Amino acid sequence: KQEVTQIPAALSVPEGENLVLNCSFTDSAIYNLQWFRQDPGKGLTSLLLIQSSQREQTSGRLNASLDKSSGRSTLYIAASQPGDSATYLCAVLYYGNNRLAFGKGNQVVVIP
Amino acid sequence: SAVISQKPSRDICQRGTSLTIQCQVDSQVTMMFWYRQQPGQSLTLIATANQGSEATYESGFVIDKFPISRPNLTFSTLTVSNMSPEDSSIYLCSAVPIERGAGGYTFGSGTRLTVV
């Protein structure tokens, strides 16, 4: 079964600290991995997309790494701000499949 | 990446009625997906909507309850029929670009449905 796990489920950090969110997947035959942000009651906003041939992607304060051999991806958010408070979802697209496999999310609160 | 306009953004509906949710994409996409997100939960795939053919439903979801239309490559609707309070959820549509994986999957802004 192609499972995606996100740890921790929830975390709170003081403003200015760096955030580290972890995503693990059970099958290394991934096509790509995508990180999303979801605000309460809203849709998903794509943050970063990492193709299977890539090791990392960066956008502003966000950096995502991918290690297929260990089945892990990490999302780093530098110098967190209260506006970063949201749920972050990791989604994996596997070869031979057209649907995303989602983790349950990391719920983040950044304390001013 | 494609941009999806989803509406309505929220609605409060009476038990026993139906609600149709629309998603319009600003470019042609291959497959579109409909998800349900119950309070405090992650996303659950309802069905995959293919242009020109019947939607493919996941286990636990049936066409009579969640009929889907996909008349062209940029538009799809999901109807939640004969609603009960258990249908109160966020409903989301998603699309995959013509070139698989390019630009990633895009999601609509969600429809927050409350059934009373």
Side-chain angles (χ1 to χ4, degrees):
Chain A
K1 188 176 180 182
Q2 296 168 331
E3 294 184 346
V4 179
T5 304
Q6 291 187 246
I7 297 173
L11 72 161
S12 297
V13 297
E15 182 177 1
E17 274 199 11
N18 297 330
L19 279 163
V20 180
L21 307 178
N22 295 302
C23 171
S24 61
F25 44 93
T26 54
D27 187 341
S28 62
I30 74 169
Y31 191 83
N32 60 38
L33 184 146
Q34 204 165 352
W35 282 94
F36 293 92
R37 168 184 171 139
Q38 185 177 32
D39 294 297
K42 304 294 185 181
L44 275 62
T45 300
S46 181
L47 298 174
L48 290 167
L49 169 70
I50 310 177
Q51 302 291 350
S52 62
S53 58
Q54 298 174 321
R55 296 297 298 266
E56 67 176 354
Q57 279 288 337
T58 298
S59 176
R61 294 185 293 113
L62 277 60
N63 174 277
S65 64
L66 175 64
D67 184 341
K68 287 193 303 179
S69 61
S70 64
R72 297 181 65 176
S73 176
T74 301
L75 178 66
Y76 299 89
I77 303 177
S80 61
Q81 303 170 357
D84 295 327
S85 299
T87 297
Y88 293 83
L89 292 161
C90 170
V92 177
L93 181 64
Y94 288 100
Y95 279 103
N97 208 330
N98 287 308
R99 65 190 66 178
L100 294 173
F102 280 94
K104 293 186 176 181
N106 306 110
Q107 188 174 7
V108 171
V109 174
V110 179
I111 304 166
Chain B
S1 297
V3 176
I4 302 177
S5 299
Q6 182 174 345
K7 57 182 181 182
S9 59
R10 60 173 59 209
D11 208 340
I12 301 173
C13 299
Q14 295 291 324
R15 180 196 297 259
T17 62
S18 297
L19 175 72
T20 296
I21 302 167
Q22 300 180 359
C23 278
Q24 177 74 53
V25 192
D26 69 348
S27 59
Q28 292 186 342
V29 293
T30 54
M31 283 175 287
M32 294 183 72
F33 304 89
W34 288 96
Y35 291 86
R36 180 175 74 182
Q37 187 177 32
Q38 295 176 304
Q41 304 295 316
S42 190
L43 281 71
T44 301
L45 182 63
I46 297 172
T48 302
N50 302 303
Q51 193 268 335
S53 64
E54 292 282 338
T56 303
Y57 289 83
E58 298 298 304
S59 176
F61 297 96
V62 295
I63 188 171
D64 289 346
K65 176 68 175 176
F66 298 102
I68 287 170
S69 77
R70 179 85 193 275
N72 56 50
L73 291 175
T74 63
F75 187 77
S76 180
T77 67
L78 168 76
T79 299
V80 185
S81 303
N82 189 24
M83 289 184 286
S84 67
E86 292 71 34
D87 294 319
S88 297
S89 295
I90 298 172
Y91 292 85
L92 295 145
C93 63
S94 175
V96 59
I98 293 285
E99 183 180 345
R100 182 171 176 264
Y105 283 54
T106 304
F107 281 78
S109 54
T111 296
R112 191 167 194 170
L113 171 62
T114 302
V115 183
V116 297

